[in-house]
Amino acid sequence: MNFTRWSARFPGTQRRAAARTEHAAAQAKRGEGAVPAARGGRPDPGAERSTPAADGHPADPTVSGTGTGSGTGSGSGGSTGPGTGTTPARRTGVLTAVPSLDELSVREVLGRLPALVALVHGPEHRVAYVNDAYTAGFGPRTPGAPAHEALPELGELGLLALLDQVQRSGRPRTAKNRTAPGGGSSYTVTCTPVDFPTPATGTTAASTAEADAHHTGILIHLADVTDHAEAVERLRASERRQREAAVTLQRSLLPQELEQPDDLRIAATYQPGGTEAAVGGDWYDVITLGAGRTALVIGDVMGRGVRAAAVMGQLRTAVRAYARLDLPPHEVLQLLDGLAAEIDASQIATCVYAVHDPNEGLLAYASAGHLPILVRDEHGTVRRAADPTGPPLGTGGWLHTSGTIALGPGSTAVLYTDGLVERRGEDIDEGVAALERALAGAQGTPSVICDRLMRALGVDADHDDDVAVMVLQQPARAGADAELFHNAALELLGGIEAAPRARAFAQGVLASWRFPVELCDLGVLAASELVANSLQHGTPPMRLRLRRTDRRLIIEVTDGDDHLPRRRRAEPADETGRGISIVATIASSWGSRRTPGGGKAVWCEFALPDK
């Protein structure tokens, strides 16, 4: 094959050659290709000019000139004869003849390329040429054979279909990072259509059409990008290791096993984002506060990676510490707000902190920029927890407030992070509405409802954000199960005479609940000490409440004074100060808290013996 002739068939080559011919003719007509002096300079009278030879070529292939910075210019001229194919170039005052593209051998150029080059032609992509690099990479190839036979590596790289597309469309196509069979080198392949010489004139129309179908070809250029592919793979492996470390840290900071209160059934799930998404700072927790009350928290640190997970872990630890103070929800968020700013001023977090009180059948909550709690009652009606909602944690300067929502028997509540309901291009209220519809139809245990909500909202392994969901149920008990849960209360009226009435009341209630004699005696003693402490240090109204669950006996006394008792060591001569110490000694646990309407509650618990 004539590669010099074939090179002129590249798209655009003919136009450039014609332009060069017209330019050379114009130059010859204006002055035999002489180059004028530099603009702004004067020609040097002593400068030598080249004298054209008889055949129109310069006698000397180079012409030199001199110039100074004081305005003296230098001029040099040269001419090119017609058809010489050379173009003068000026460099540091010297004109050098530069060969044109038409004088270069295509075979020599392609043969020296480090990239792998192959040329195929015709509808069967018959091999016309392969360069030395291609031969070194895949071995020698037989010219004239179809590509699917002579170039099997193209099929293994998935390029045969690409060749057909290029031939049909007449447009170049590029396939990136194609890996050779056996995990070898990686190539970026470019297929460029080229035209072979047209058939000779004088042929019939049929033969011309047949020739037109066979005179198109494709230049295949395979650039070895193995180093680049390996670098990308190393980077991806590093990202995977970092992601695995962040996921491990995230999961280790979440509760490994949720506490299960007596009056609630709780399940939670955490789904990290897909492989293309960095791990966020979603978290949840369940904290038993005593006296049957339970704190529930869910939050989301606005960040990604290990740093977000670390901040999340610090906030979760702080929540557990503040919860032990048994503060109202808004006061817990107030403390967290200041702590979040100290941990990292550049990161903020949203959070919902809620407390369930089985005696009241309410869920008291406070929100720091978080999405609303959803509650479905026993009839299937779903409600959103209304305001108050404050700004996220870490912003400072805001006084959070608490609200309440009913959570009666048979009710189900859902706490969640924004990854469950937020979608790109959609308003987040649409996602919350979709979650409401899914919750209205979700039945079963809390763990089953978690799974159904995740599926209904389209959360899978490739989800682009972290998701945390917590579901809690207040069971509707009946029959033998209901017999394990009882409540009894006595208003403490009058003065010191209320103490014997409280002891008699406690004795009768505990005996009716068929507790063992030893547990009855301990319960009566604890009730007597708590009532005596309230009568001495508290203010009316006062109330004694006894409550039993399937696991424990709870004794609680409330009064109107907000001074919390503390355990102290009484001296031998002291006549008072031993009541709380006695309660702490005989009970499984004890505590105190301020009540929302003012006053305090002091309580203790006894674990029931296993049956």
Side-chain angles (χ1 to χ4, degrees):
M1 177 177 293
N2 188 340
F3 279 91
T4 303
R5 182 183 181 189
W6 167 77
S7 68
R9 308 304 296 176
F10 275 116
T13 305
Q14 294 177 339
R15 292 192 298 271
R16 289 192 296 270
R20 285 194 299 271
T21 303
E22 295 176 359
H23 177 70
Q27 287 283 79
K29 181 179 291 185
R30 284 196 302 267
E32 301 299 330
V35 179
R39 182 175 299 177
R42 294 177 300 174
D44 187 353
E48 297 183 358
R49 295 182 179 271
S50 60
T51 303
D55 59 355
H57 290 271
D60 191 347
T62 61
V63 181
S64 60
T66 59
T68 63
S70 61
T72 303
S74 63
S76 61
S79 61
T80 59
T84 59
T86 58
T87 305
R90 183 176 186 124
R91 183 181 60 186
T92 63
V94 178
L95 289 180
T96 305
V98 178
S100 69
L101 180 63
D102 294 341
E103 293 183 340
L104 299 178
S105 170
V106 175
R107 180 183 294 273
E108 182 179 359
V109 171
L110 297 181
R112 293 186 178 183
L113 286 178
L116 283 67
V117 176
L119 178 66
V120 297
H121 70 95
E124 294 183 351
H125 311 303
R126 296 183 177 275
V127 178
Y129 169 77
V130 293
N131 70 348
D132 295 340
Y134 197 104
T135 302
F138 295 110
R141 293 296 181 259
T142 304
H148 68 273
E149 297 178 1
L151 306 175
E153 59 276 358
L154 298 185
E156 295 170 346
L157 291 171
L159 299 175
L160 294 180
L162 184 64
L163 295 179
D164 295 335
Q165 294 176 10
V166 172
Q167 189 168 46
R168 286 194 303 268
S169 65
R171 296 180 179 179
R173 293 288 189 274
T174 299
K176 297 182 178 180
N177 295 333
R178 296 294 179 95
T179 303
S185 302
S186 296
Y187 300 95
T188 291
V189 185
T190 301
C191 298
T192 305
V194 296
D195 291 338
F196 287 86
T198 57
T201 59
T203 58
T204 62
S207 61
T208 301
E210 181 180 358
D212 288 339
H214 289 77
H215 81 272
T216 57
I218 300 174
L219 183 68
I220 306 169
H221 181 278
L222 295 87
D224 192 333
V225 293
T226 304
D227 293 342
H228 173 74
E230 291 176 350
V232 171
E233 183 57 33
R234 288 194 297 269
L235 178 60
R236 289 176 178 172
S238 176
E239 292 175 347
R240 284 194 298 269
R241 288 192 297 269
Q242 293 182 10
R243 172 182 166 76
E244 290 171 0
V247 171
T248 301
L249 175 62
Q250 174 87 344
R251 292 192 181 279
S252 65
L253 294 175
L254 291 174
Q256 303 304 304
E257 184 176 355
L258 289 179
E259 300 180 28
Q260 293 295 333
D262 298 353
D263 298 274
L264 294 176
R265 299 293 177 264
I266 304 175
T269 184
Y270 169 73
Q271 174 68 51
T275 56
E276 300 299 326
V279 176
D282 295 14
W283 94 92
Y284 55 82
D285 208 351
V286 178
I287 309 163
T288 54
L289 302 177
R293 301 167 69 251
T294 306
L296 308 123
V297 58
I298 194 165
D300 184 5
V301 176
M302 300 302 167
R304 298 287 183 184
V306 175
R307 179 58 183 168
V311 173
M312 176 274 289
Q314 296 178 76
L315 290 178
R316 177 175 175 260
T317 302
V319 168
R320 296 191 70 88
Y322 294 146
R324 298 302 178 190
L325 301 176
D326 212 340
L327 300 172
H330 65 276
E331 293 189 23
V332 172
L333 291 191
Q334 208 71 49
L335 294 172
L336 283 176
D337 185 28
L339 180 64
E342 294 177 6
I343 293 175
D344 191 340
S346 64
Q347 287 185 307
I348 61 176
T350 64
C351 179
V352 167
Y353 182 85
V355 176
H356 175 253
D357 190 340
N359 296 316
E360 304 295 337
L362 295 174
L363 192 65
Y365 66 91
S367 175
H370 206 79
L371 295 166
I373 301 173
L374 301 183
V375 177
R376 186 192 66 199
D377 60 22
E378 57 182 341
H379 305 294
T381 303
V382 179
R383 295 172 293 127
R384 296 188 190 185
D387 288 340
T389 298
L393 303 176
T395 56
W398 183 268
L399 293 177
H400 294 273
T401 55
S402 297
T404 59
I405 187 170
L407 189 69
S411 298
T412 301
V414 178
L415 292 78
Y416 52 96
T417 57
D418 58 359
L420 181 65
V421 296
E422 190 174 24
R423 300 293 182 272
R424 294 179 182 177
E426 294 183 7
D427 191 278
I428 196 169
D429 286 336
E430 298 178 7
V432 176
L435 179 59
E436 288 180 335
R437 293 190 295 270
L439 177 60
Q443 301 291 335
T445 63
S447 59
V448 171
I449 293 178
C450 276
D451 294 339
R452 290 180 175 177
L453 294 181
M454 296 279 277
R455 289 197 302 269
L457 274 294
V459 178
D460 53 21
D462 295 326
H463 197 59
D464 60 356
D465 195 6
D466 288 21
V467 177
V469 181
M470 181 188 298
V471 175
L472 53 139
Q473 288 180 339
Q474 170 79 24
R477 296 181 175 88
D481 189 30
E483 291 298 322
L484 299 177
F485 292 79
H486 293 284
N487 284 279
L490 173 68
E491 300 294 334
L492 301 176
L493 303 176
I496 59 173
E497 66 273 12
R501 290 200 305 271
R503 286 194 293 270
F505 174 77
Q507 181 69 46
V509 169
L510 296 181
S512 68
W513 289 349
R514 300 180 180 180
F515 284 143
V517 175
E518 182 181 357
L519 181 58
C520 286
D521 293 342
L522 292 176
V524 171
L525 176 58
S528 175
E529 293 295 338
L530 292 180
V531 169
N533 184 78
S534 181
L535 290 174
Q536 182 174 359
H537 301 287
T539 59
M542 302 178 186
R543 189 182 191 190
L544 169 64
R545 174 183 287 161
L546 303 177
R547 185 169 187 271
R548 72 155 293 171
T549 70
D550 58 343
R551 305 178 191 175
R552 70 198 80 235
L553 166 66
I554 302 169
I555 302 173
E556 184 178 72
V557 175
T558 60
D559 63 57
D561 186 82
D562 60 0
H563 178 73
L564 299 180
R566 59 185 178 88
R567 185 179 180 181
R568 64 184 181 88
R569 182 184 298 275
E571 298 297 331
D574 294 342
E575 296 183 359
T576 60
R578 295 180 175 85
I580 296 298
S581 295
I582 293 174
V583 171
T585 300
I586 64 175
S588 303
S589 60
W590 78 280
S592 62
R593 71 178 188 279
R594 291 186 174 90
T595 54
K600 66 177 179 294
V602 185
W603 55 269
C604 67
E605 293 181 350
F606 293 89
L608 300 184
D610 295 333
K611 294 184 179 181

